[in-house]
Amino acid sequence: ENSVKLYNLYTHWLPKVVAYFFILLLLSLAIFEKPAVPGLEIEYYVTMPMEVICLIVIGSRLFHLKLFSPGKTFYSDKKNLVVMATMVVVVIDMISYIALVNSGQAMYAYRWSRPLRPLLLVNIKEGRQIRRAFRNIRRTLPDILNVLVLFFLSIALFALMALKIFERRPELRLYTDNSPYFKHYGDIYFQLYVLVTTANSPDIMMPAFDSNKWFSLFFIVYVVVCLYLFMSIILAVIYKNYRKHLKNEIKKSVFIKRVKLERAFNELKEEVGGKSVVTEKTWYVLMKEVLPNKTQVYYSLLWLVLDKDANGYIDQKMFLQVADLLNVEVSEIRNQKHLIEKYWPHVYNSSVSIAVRQVVMHKFFRYFFDLAIVVNAFFIGFNLDEAEWFFLSVFTCEIILKLYTYGFSEFCRRFWNIFDFIVISAAFIATIIEAALEELQYSRETLDVLLVLRILRLLKLVGSIDRFKIIIGTLTNIAPSMFTYGGVLFVFYYVFAIIGMEVWGTMLSGDVNITFCNNPKLNGSEFARDHYCNNNFSDLLTSFVLLFELMVVNQWHVLTSGFVAVTSAWARLYFVAFHLLVVIVVLNIFLAFILEAFMLESSLSTGKFSNAVEEKIKEM
Amino acid sequence: ENSVKLYNLYTHWLPKVVAYFFILLLLSLAIFEKPAVPGLEIEYYVTMPMEVICLIVIGSRLFHLKLFSPGKTFYSDKKNLVVMATMVVVVIDMISYIALVNSGQAMYAYRWSRPLRPLLLVNIKEGRQIRRAFRNIRRTLPDILNVLVLFFLSIALFALMALKIFERRPELRLYTDNSPYFKHYGDIYFQLYVLVTTANSPDIMMPAFDSNKWFSLFFIVYVVVCLYLFMSIILAVIYKNYRKHLKNEIKKSVFIKRVKLERAFNELKEEVGGKSVVTEKTWYVLMKEVLPNKTQVYYSLLWLVLDKDANGYIDQKMFLQVADLLNVEVSEIRNQKHLIEKYWPHVYNSSVSIAVRQVVMHKFFRYFFDLAIVVNAFFIGFNLDEAEWFFLSVFTCEIILKLYTYGFSEFCRRFWNIFDFIVISAAFIATIIEAALEELQYSRETLDVLLVLRILRLLKLVGSIDRFKIIIGTLTNIAPSMFTYGGVLFVFYYVFAIIGMEVWGTMLSGDVNITFCNNPKLNGSEFARDHYCNNNFSDLLTSFVLLFELMVVNQWHVLTSGFVAVTSAWARLYFVAFHLLVVIVVLNIFLAFILEAFMLESSLSTGKFSNAVEEKIKEM
């Protein structure tokens, strides 16, 4: 009894939200810890107590889980062990940090446990989907390892060729920094790796190409083999694995579902005419217990589907289909009365009101406002800001009319209506703020926000063009899963950002008035010449932007060269590791996911199994 | 009778090879026509007669086809019409060119029909596979068009935002050329398109980022939407279509095969016991007619498989499986006698010879030479060239011993043996040439070739590591199909190269001693600063290299800017068209092909249908 109460408390939404809040708070401490976002720096004797509070909250949730878990299951669950180990390590780190700082050895004091923080996010009980994505990555790794080894061997071979060919041509020099061309094996290897990412193409070829055009053959063969072939193969291997694992997971979950349903059937069964069956009466009792917030009509509907021969009971075979049936979305259109209809029926049913509603429901109503958007686009394009109030009121009218006609709940069923509502009301608020502030101070930032809102309004037009509906439909269907990959990326970004901040933290300054990023080692470097000083690890948010740029890949070798210049060539390992993990592994898995999602979207209603697959995809 | 003779002559290999030779000759004329590869220029009054000869040969082959084609089929075949139309257009072009040149108006004389030449390559009867690839592309286009339109609309929206936000910040300037930052809508649009290709990331963001870090949000959202989302969706749509069309083609070809086999069965059938069947006798007659160069044993084997109940006849159902059965590769190991065994049996069977053969067949023999390769790699790495003769003779010994043991035909069955043979014998020849020339003149180029051959030798090691065998196996399986895509790319390259040469031919000079590529309009441009002068359209081969660089994508906007600077902003259309067609369409179809090939490779022996699919894939 007590366990059930504890369990119910544990799965209540409030403690869940609290746990998530404190985990996010713990993660966001990196914004305030040194090196902090400018203006937000908080000393360690303030952040550390906050960190302790976070750990206590997370720990107490874990303790709560232990209270009602049967003996061994708690300790046999790796997740719990990982969370506990992480907390112990963090506490040790904090103590040693305080000890070092207070014994006057602050220069040796690193908060080295900070990259472990995302472990708490991934390993709490609710992070199931993100954990599954990580499992997916882990399982795919062994298979791409073979391809990667072959890939790195190929680069090694090409690098050896390049070394041998160009060491007899010492007159060649790189145009970018006038350094010797293909001189040291390690450098060549790195340069050729960069060439696979295409970031230094065609610059790396030009000195050789200028001396003899036939050298281009070497680079073309290299790019065809190592970029077009190997990168395609890596994607193919990842996609193959993705599908394989997806299939296995579905098989497993179907099996588990079956076993559980069989157990349930055995609990509920009665003997009728020599057969084990579940009767209609049991069904209603069960439904009321399991789905208390559905109506009686819904229970009956399900029963009608299950009890095909209408003999008042269903056998095991039918009962096993309950789970699939519950997945079918049944929308109960309750004949809800419009609020106005309820309170002022004579107004709502007056001839004017009926006419208005008929106009709003007419297709020309939609066409008219689509046209208004197009006209609005031209006004924005030609900077005719005076008309803004007019358009804002026109679109507000549209929303009010639609609200009046369809009612609030019906209005909210459509994505574009909600979108419209948010964009227009935000614009309204921002316009009022702007108007109020105009006399005080001219705010460019508010204007920017307003402008973006105005232009976003145009987006609605896309939603009303039929040919785009399939694409947008698919996109909104897979959007939740995309957020899972966002979470995975966040974890990688966080770990790499913390490490980057510890290593390069304040070595560079992004101040545009200071030359060479305030570091003489960057004097004359490509990094400084390209004005990349602001791409640094000076705080968490800036680090995230830098890591995003590294993910986009272009110029990553120049960014790398900057951080190599202020430390050592070993820094390349950090950037290559990021590229391998994030670009080659995670982004390709994301691509595999999109591919599979689109393949499934087309075969939406072709069978139970693919539905199960789709279900799974949505969860991922 | 006459028709059959003509048909047999038409499908003979010799006229086919002749036709291909003259088509390739026609295509390669672009190397010699102005602007020609340096040193290979031939005047038009020499190339044109060659062109005429090529057209005559191609035309006569077409005439040959017409002679035995039944009336309408010849003219109802689009291929023939296209070839004829192309030839007419080329003739008109030649005449008008000669007329213009001889009337003293050479500056208006363009050989505008040259981009049409690949039409002849694609539309001759033998270009089936390349034509199928083009059909694939054409069919996929309508489906990606929707996505592309949405994609371009999104860019338009983002460009409008950028225009509005940054036009109120005139103080910002691009670092690369100090031009105004996001000033004109057309330029912004192009810049944002380039950003989708990642080529100008992060440079395009830096001025905004330096002024306010929150501007990075705009670029991050843009890249996520337009690069990560849209480009993934385009690949997904292409992959989906690829699979759909593949399935349809297979269904169609299976249907056609069935119809043809049924017709054959009806011709051959006899009545045995009231059933229509094909008897064993008929079978042998048929086989001898259809597959004259197979042995009697092979015919019997097939019959054994088909006639399961061994009653001397097969019914229609079994007969329909003949085609699938013929696809199964049966290798007849003929007990061929070794040449030496044949002529000097006492030598071959002497105890020494037997011992040698046993040694060669032992696994340590392979290990020993694998080790030798590794040692060789170190010798190459440390420039110990003196040992080269030693290694060359060691590896030659290996080949001779293997040839002795396995015999020539058995030796040639393994890919790596052939590879080894070619590489080693080429190295031998090159070494001898080098040794002979050394006293005359030191040739760096021969040495380069030698070096590459030496290092290629190391590649053999990869073939003997088990874990790579699957990957390499798949690669060699799909290699022929990859050549088809090579052909498709060649066609696109050729067309674009010819157009590029006509437009920009000699505007730029790649001579490193001349500043600004010999064009004052490039004074101070990024194109000249990056030493890209040699990336131009001065001849066919150089154009191909430039187009390859454009396909690799990186820095394509800088290359574009150079050609825009010497002509006009409209030149961007050429480069964007190339990017859209080659990178977004063709490369993604290639990727779809690799994905599907890898998916099939794993389910190799899981069923007839997937085998049919694989067959098809191999053809494509």
Side-chain angles (χ1 to χ4, degrees):
Chain A
E1 265 307 289
N2 207 16
S3 287
V4 173
K5 261 189 196 165
L6 279 167
Y7 175 78
N8 282 339
L9 181 62
Y10 186 81
T11 55
H12 192 266
W13 64 268
L14 188 65
K16 272 189 199 175
V17 168
V18 170
Y20 261 111
F21 173 78
F22 277 96
I23 288 174
L24 293 180
L25 181 65
L26 180 66
L27 289 172
S28 62
L29 281 181
I31 295 175
F32 309 102
E33 292 162 339
K34 263 184 249 182
V37 172
L40 294 178
E41 189 170 327
I42 301 177
E43 286 298 326
Y44 77 95
Y45 43 77
V46 183
T47 59
M48 275 203 190
M50 287 165 79
E51 199 167 351
V52 170
I53 293 170
C54 292
L55 290 181
I56 288 171
V57 171
I58 298 163
S60 60
R61 182 154 172 83
L62 205 63
F63 184 69
H64 186 171
L65 177 67
K66 193 191 167 333
L67 278 183
F68 66 84
S69 302
K72 275 180 186 171
T73 53
F74 180 80
Y75 290 108
S76 66
D77 192 341
K78 269 186 208 159
K79 292 191 291 293
N80 301 331
L81 299 180
V82 170
V83 171
M84 285 190 291
T86 309
M87 296 207 305
V88 171
V89 168
V90 171
V91 170
I92 294 172
D93 176 30
M94 284 197 280
I95 294 169
S96 64
Y97 184 83
I98 294 172
L100 277 169
V101 169
N102 288 320
S103 64
Q105 302 198 289
M107 61 282 207
Y108 300 116
Y110 290 111
R111 284 302 314 277
W112 46 265
S113 77
R114 294 199 299 161
L116 300 178
R117 282 176 187 167
L119 282 178
L120 298 177
L121 178 68
V122 174
N123 284 293
I124 59 161
K125 219 168 163 54
E126 283 73 30
R128 194 158 54 101
Q129 275 151 40
I130 210 170
R131 214 156 46 233
R132 192 179 285 151
F134 270 103
R135 198 162 58 223
N136 218 321
I137 293 172
R138 213 172 49 225
R139 279 181 186 157
T140 311
L141 280 182
D143 288 283
I144 34 176
L145 216 63
N146 276 345
V147 189
L148 280 182
V149 170
L150 199 54
F151 166 67
F152 283 118
L153 277 180
S154 309
I155 301 183
L157 220 61
F158 276 101
L160 188 60
M161 275 189 214
L163 177 72
K164 292 292 137 187
I165 293 174
F166 293 109
E167 74 180 353
R168 284 183 288 118
R169 290 170 174 81
E171 72 276 13
L172 295 181
R173 309 210 135 245
L174 266 177
Y175 292 128
T176 44
D177 53 2
N178 206 29
S179 60
Y181 189 66
F182 281 162
K183 206 75 192 169
H184 305 291
Y185 191 75
D187 286 343
I188 299 174
Y189 200 97
F190 181 70
Q191 295 275 21
L192 288 183
Y193 183 82
V194 174
L195 184 53
V196 172
T197 70
T198 79
N200 58 358
S201 159
D203 302 283
I204 195 70
M205 184 182 84
M206 289 320 289
F209 191 57
D210 282 345
S211 88
N212 186 340
K213 289 201 175 179
W214 290 105
F215 278 130
S216 58
L217 265 184
F218 172 81
F219 293 94
I220 289 174
V221 170
Y222 175 77
V223 168
V224 167
V225 171
C226 286
L227 172 61
Y228 291 118
L229 265 186
F230 274 111
M231 290 298 124
S232 310
I233 291 173
I234 286 175
L235 176 62
V237 170
I238 285 177
Y239 181 55
K240 206 169 101 181
N241 273 284
Y242 183 82
R243 283 183 70 168
K244 196 177 75 189
H245 292 144
L246 201 65
K247 239 182 221 168
N248 288 343
E249 288 219 4
I250 291 157
K251 272 186 198 155
K252 220 165 92 185
S253 80
V254 165
F255 177 74
I256 290 173
K257 195 159 71 180
R258 214 189 152 81
V259 167
K260 283 188 178 164
L261 279 170
E262 274 173 0
R263 213 183 294 161
F265 182 80
N266 288 332
E267 292 287 326
L268 299 167
K269 70 181 172 189
E270 294 166 45
E271 295 289 319
V272 173
K275 285 191 286 182
S276 300
V277 293
V278 169
T279 60
E280 191 165 358
K281 214 179 108 194
T282 324
W283 173 258
Y284 284 113
V285 176
L286 173 73
M287 281 290 109
K288 235 167 233 156
E289 197 71 24
V290 181
L291 299 168
N293 49 2
K294 290 275 182 178
T295 61
Q296 190 73 23
V297 183
Y298 182 70
Y299 305 158
S300 311
L301 178 74
L302 292 187
W303 181 257
L304 279 175
V305 175
L306 289 171
D307 188 16
K308 276 178 194 158
D309 20 333
N311 49 13
Y313 52 80
I314 50 173
D315 58 3
Q316 184 170 5
K317 202 180 139 211
M318 287 313 289
F319 189 79
L320 292 182
Q321 294 180 15
V322 167
D324 293 329
L325 197 59
L326 288 175
N327 277 339
V328 177
E329 212 178 293
V330 178
S331 51
E332 292 180 74
I333 300 171
R334 289 181 205 167
N335 233 335
Q336 273 188 311
K337 274 198 177 178
H338 200 289
L339 273 180
I340 300 171
E341 191 180 2
K342 214 165 169 182
Y343 296 108
W344 298 286
H346 57 282
V347 175
Y348 191 74
N349 293 317
S350 68
S351 59
V352 177
S353 163
I354 290 170
V356 165
R357 278 185 281 149
Q358 271 173 347
V359 166
V360 172
M361 282 175 182
H362 200 276
K363 62 180 175 181
F364 281 115
F365 181 80
R366 218 189 69 205
Y367 293 165
F368 173 77
F369 283 97
D370 285 349
L371 186 72
I373 291 176
V374 174
V375 175
N376 190 196
F378 280 97
F379 273 76
I380 294 174
F382 295 106
N383 280 338
L384 302 165
D385 285 347
E386 297 75 24
E388 179 49 27
W389 276 106
F390 168 73
F391 281 110
L392 200 54
S393 39
V394 165
F395 294 124
T396 312
C397 275
E398 185 196 1
I399 291 176
I400 291 171
L401 283 173
K402 273 190 176 170
L403 271 174
Y404 179 77
T405 308
Y406 298 110
F408 188 73
S409 56
E410 183 66 23
F411 179 84
C412 288
R413 291 176 78 91
R414 280 166 181 270
F415 168 74
W416 288 109
N417 282 341
I418 303 171
F419 176 83
D420 213 22
F421 185 78
I422 294 170
V423 167
I424 296 287
S425 44
F428 233 120
I429 295 166
T431 310
I432 290 166
I433 292 174
E434 192 213 355
L437 290 177
E438 210 164 356
E439 287 138 56
L440 304 170
Q441 198 188 5
Y442 189 88
S443 158
R444 285 215 289 200
E445 278 69 30
T446 329
L447 267 178
D448 284 340
V449 173
L450 253 176
L451 242 157
V452 170
L453 285 172
R454 271 177 217 162
I455 294 169
L456 275 181
R457 206 186 291 159
L458 308 181
L459 204 63
K460 204 187 130 199
L461 205 60
V462 173
S464 62
I465 299 174
D466 278 330
R467 61 193 307 185
F468 300 142
K469 274 185 184 157
I470 302 168
I471 303 166
I472 290 170
T474 309
L475 280 183
T476 44
N477 272 349
I478 61 178
S481 320
M482 289 198 284
F483 280 109
T484 306
Y485 286 94
V488 173
L489 280 181
F490 173 78
V491 170
F492 278 107
Y493 270 46
Y494 194 86
V495 174
F496 272 93
I498 297 280
I499 296 173
M501 280 155 65
E502 293 288 5
V503 178
W504 292 284
T506 50
M507 281 192 193
L508 308 182
S509 157
D511 194 330
V512 283
N513 301 317
I514 301 173
T515 48
F516 314 129
C517 317
N518 202 22
N519 194 320
K521 282 178 185 164
L522 288 174
N523 190 340
S525 70
E526 212 181 337
F527 186 87
R529 209 179 333 129
D530 285 350
H531 296 259
Y532 287 167
C533 298
N534 254 318
N535 296 321
N536 55 37
F537 291 101
S538 64
D539 62 67
L540 191 70
L541 300 184
T542 310
S543 304
F544 271 35
V545 174
L546 172 57
L547 292 175
F548 185 80
E549 287 169 18
L550 291 175
M551 189 172 81
V552 175
V553 172
N554 197 53
Q555 296 289 73
W556 74 280
H557 63 299
V558 177
L559 295 168
T560 303
S561 74
F563 294 98
V564 164
V566 297
T567 48
S568 90
W570 290 105
R572 284 173 180 169
L573 279 183
Y574 172 92
F575 294 91
V576 170
F578 184 80
H579 181 261
L580 270 176
L581 275 173
V582 171
V583 180
I584 293 190
V585 177
V586 178
L587 284 189
N588 272 327
I589 288 184
F590 174 73
L591 197 52
F593 155 74
I594 297 258
L595 281 177
E596 195 56 17
F598 262 73
M599 295 304 292
L600 289 174
E601 195 64 20
S602 64
S603 57
L604 191 77
S605 49
T606 50
K608 251 183 220 171
F609 188 67
S610 80
N611 276 338
V613 175
E614 202 206 10
E615 225 20 72
K616 227 39 195 196
I617 275 271
K618 270 185 190 162
E619 275 180 51
M620 304 274 279
Chain B
E1 266 307 291
N2 205 15
S3 288
V4 173
K5 261 188 195 165
L6 279 166
Y7 174 78
N8 281 338
L9 181 62
Y10 186 81
T11 53
H12 192 268
W13 65 268
L14 188 66
K16 272 189 200 174
V17 169
V18 170
Y20 260 111
F21 173 78
F22 278 96
I23 288 174
L24 292 180
L25 180 66
L26 181 66
L27 289 172
S28 62
L29 281 181
I31 295 176
F32 309 102
E33 291 161 341
K34 262 184 251 180
V37 172
L40 294 178
E41 190 170 326
I42 301 177
E43 285 300 324
Y44 76 95
Y45 43 76
V46 183
T47 59
M48 275 201 192
M50 287 165 77
E51 199 167 351
V52 170
I53 292 171
C54 292
L55 290 181
I56 289 172
V57 171
I58 297 163
S60 59
R61 183 157 171 81
L62 204 65
F63 184 69
H64 185 172
L65 177 67
K66 194 193 166 327
L67 278 183
F68 65 83
S69 303
K72 275 180 185 170
T73 52
F74 180 81
Y75 289 108
S76 65
D77 192 341
K78 269 186 209 160
K79 292 191 290 293
N80 301 331
L81 299 180
V82 170
V83 171
M84 285 189 291
T86 309
M87 295 208 304
V88 170
V89 168
V90 170
V91 170
I92 294 172
D93 175 31
M94 282 197 279
I95 294 170
S96 64
Y97 183 83
I98 293 171
L100 277 169
V101 168
N102 288 320
S103 64
Q105 302 198 292
M107 60 281 207
Y108 299 117
Y110 291 111
R111 284 302 314 277
W112 46 264
S113 77
R114 292 199 300 162
L116 299 179
R117 281 177 188 167
L119 282 178
L120 298 176
L121 179 68
V122 175
N123 284 292
I124 59 162
K125 219 167 162 54
E126 283 73 31
R128 193 158 55 101
Q129 275 152 39
I130 210 171
R131 213 154 49 233
R132 191 179 285 151
F134 270 102
R135 198 161 59 223
N136 218 321
I137 293 173
R138 213 171 49 225
R139 280 183 186 154
T140 310
L141 280 181
D143 288 283
I144 35 176
L145 214 64
N146 276 345
V147 189
L148 279 182
V149 170
L150 198 55
F151 165 67
F152 284 119
L153 277 179
S154 309
I155 301 183
L157 220 62
F158 276 101
L160 188 61
M161 274 190 213
L163 177 72
K164 292 292 137 190
I165 293 175
F166 293 110
E167 74 181 355
R168 285 184 287 117
R169 290 171 174 80
E171 73 277 13
L172 294 180
R173 309 211 136 244
L174 265 177
Y175 293 128
T176 43
D177 53 2
N178 206 30
S179 60
Y181 189 68
F182 280 163
K183 205 76 192 171
H184 305 291
Y185 191 75
D187 287 342
I188 299 174
Y189 199 96
F190 181 70
Q191 295 276 20
L192 288 183
Y193 183 83
V194 174
L195 185 53
V196 172
T197 69
T198 79
N200 59 358
S201 159
D203 302 282
I204 196 69
M205 184 182 85
M206 290 319 290
F209 191 58
D210 283 344
S211 89
N212 186 340
K213 290 201 175 180
W214 291 105
F215 278 131
S216 57
L217 264 185
F218 172 82
F219 293 93
I220 289 174
V221 170
Y222 175 77
V223 168
V224 167
V225 171
C226 286
L227 173 60
Y228 291 118
L229 265 187
F230 273 112
M231 291 297 123
S232 311
I233 291 173
I234 286 175
L235 177 61
V237 170
I238 286 177
Y239 181 56
K240 205 169 102 180
N241 273 283
Y242 183 82
R243 283 184 69 167
K244 198 176 75 190
H245 294 314
L246 200 65
K247 240 182 221 167
N248 288 343
E249 288 220 4
I250 291 159
K251 272 186 198 155
K252 221 166 91 184
S253 82
V254 165
F255 177 74
I256 291 173
K257 194 158 72 180
R258 215 191 149 83
V259 167
K260 284 187 177 167
L261 279 170
E262 274 172 1
R263 213 183 292 161
F265 182 79
N266 287 333
E267 292 287 327
L268 299 168
K269 72 181 172 190
E270 296 166 45
E271 294 291 318
V272 173
K275 285 190 284 183
S276 299
V277 293
V278 169
T279 60
E280 192 166 358
K281 213 178 108 193
T282 324
W283 173 258
Y284 285 113
V285 176
L286 173 72
M287 280 291 108
K288 236 168 234 159
E289 197 72 24
V290 182
L291 298 168
N293 48 2
K294 291 276 182 178
T295 60
Q296 189 73 24
V297 182
Y298 182 69
Y299 306 157
S300 312
L301 178 73
L302 292 187
W303 181 258
L304 279 175
V305 176
L306 289 171
D307 188 14
K308 275 179 196 157
D309 19 333
N311 49 13
Y313 52 79
I314 51 173
D315 58 3
Q316 184 171 3
K317 201 180 141 213
M318 285 313 288
F319 189 78
L320 292 181
Q321 293 182 14
V322 168
D324 293 329
L325 197 59
L326 287 176
N327 277 338
V328 177
E329 213 178 291
V330 178
S331 50
E332 291 180 73
I333 300 170
R334 288 178 206 169
N335 234 334
Q336 274 188 310
K337 274 198 176 175
H338 200 287
L339 273 180
I340 299 171
E341 193 181 359
K342 216 167 170 181
Y343 295 108
W344 297 285
H346 57 282
V347 175
Y348 191 74
N349 292 318
S350 67
S351 60
V352 177
S353 164
I354 290 170
V356 166
R357 279 185 279 147
Q358 272 174 345
V359 166
V360 173
M361 282 174 181
H362 200 274
K363 61 182 177 183
F364 281 115
F365 180 80
R366 219 189 69 206
Y367 292 166
F368 172 77
F369 284 98
D370 285 349
L371 186 72
I373 292 176
V374 174
V375 175
N376 190 195
F378 279 98
F379 273 77
I380 294 174
F382 294 108
N383 279 339
L384 303 166
D385 285 347
E386 297 75 24
E388 179 48 28
W389 276 106
F390 168 72
F391 281 109
L392 200 54
S393 38
V394 163
F395 294 125
T396 312
C397 275
E398 186 196 1
I399 291 177
I400 291 171
L401 282 173
K402 275 189 176 171
L403 272 173
Y404 178 76
T405 309
Y406 299 110
F408 188 72
S409 56
E410 184 65 25
F411 178 84
C412 288
R413 293 176 77 92
R414 282 166 180 270
F415 168 75
W416 289 110
N417 281 342
I418 303 171
F419 176 82
D420 213 23
F421 186 77
I422 294 170
V423 167
I424 296 286
S425 45
F428 233 119
I429 295 165
T431 309
I432 289 166
I433 293 174
E434 192 213 354
L437 289 177
E438 210 165 353
E439 286 138 55
L440 305 170
Q441 197 187 11
Y442 188 89
S443 158
R444 284 214 291 202
E445 279 68 32
T446 329
L447 267 178
D448 285 339
V449 173
L450 252 177
L451 241 156
V452 169
L453 285 171
R454 270 178 217 161
I455 293 168
L456 274 182
R457 206 186 291 159
L458 308 181
L459 204 63
K460 206 187 130 199
L461 205 59
V462 172
S464 62
I465 299 173
D466 279 330
R467 62 194 307 186
F468 299 144
K469 274 185 183 157
I470 302 168
I471 304 167
I472 291 170
T474 310
L475 280 183
T476 44
N477 272 347
I478 60 178
S481 320
M482 289 197 284
F483 280 109
T484 306
Y485 286 95
V488 173
L489 280 180
F490 173 78
V491 170
F492 278 107
Y493 270 47
Y494 193 87
V495 174
F496 273 92
I498 296 279
I499 296 174
M501 279 154 65
E502 293 288 4
V503 178
W504 291 283
T506 49
M507 282 192 193
L508 309 182
S509 158
D511 193 330
V512 283
N513 301 317
I514 302 174
T515 46
F516 315 131
C517 317
N518 202 23
N519 195 319
K521 284 178 184 164
L522 288 174
N523 190 341
S525 69
E526 211 181 338
F527 186 86
R529 210 180 331 127
D530 286 350
H531 296 260
Y532 287 167
C533 298
N534 255 318
N535 297 320
N536 55 37
F537 291 101
S538 64
D539 62 67
L540 191 70
L541 300 184
T542 311
S543 305
F544 271 35
V545 174
L546 171 56
L547 292 175
F548 186 80
E549 287 168 18
L550 291 175
M551 189 172 82
V552 175
V553 171
N554 197 54
Q555 295 289 75
W556 75 280
H557 63 300
V558 177
L559 295 167
T560 304
S561 74
F563 294 98
V564 164
V566 296
T567 48
S568 90
W570 290 105
R572 284 173 181 167
L573 279 183
Y574 172 91
F575 294 92
V576 170
F578 184 80
H579 181 261
L580 270 176
L581 275 173
V582 171
V583 181
I584 293 189
V585 177
V586 178
L587 284 189
N588 272 326
I589 289 184
F590 174 73
L591 196 53
F593 155 72
I594 296 259
L595 282 176
E596 195 57 18
F598 262 74
M599 295 303 291
L600 289 174
E601 196 63 20
S602 63
S603 57
L604 190 78
S605 49
T606 50
K608 253 182 219 172
F609 189 68
S610 79
N611 276 338
V613 175
E614 202 206 10
E615 229 13 78
K616 226 41 190 193
I617 276 271
K618 272 185 188 165
E619 277 179 50
M620 307 270 286

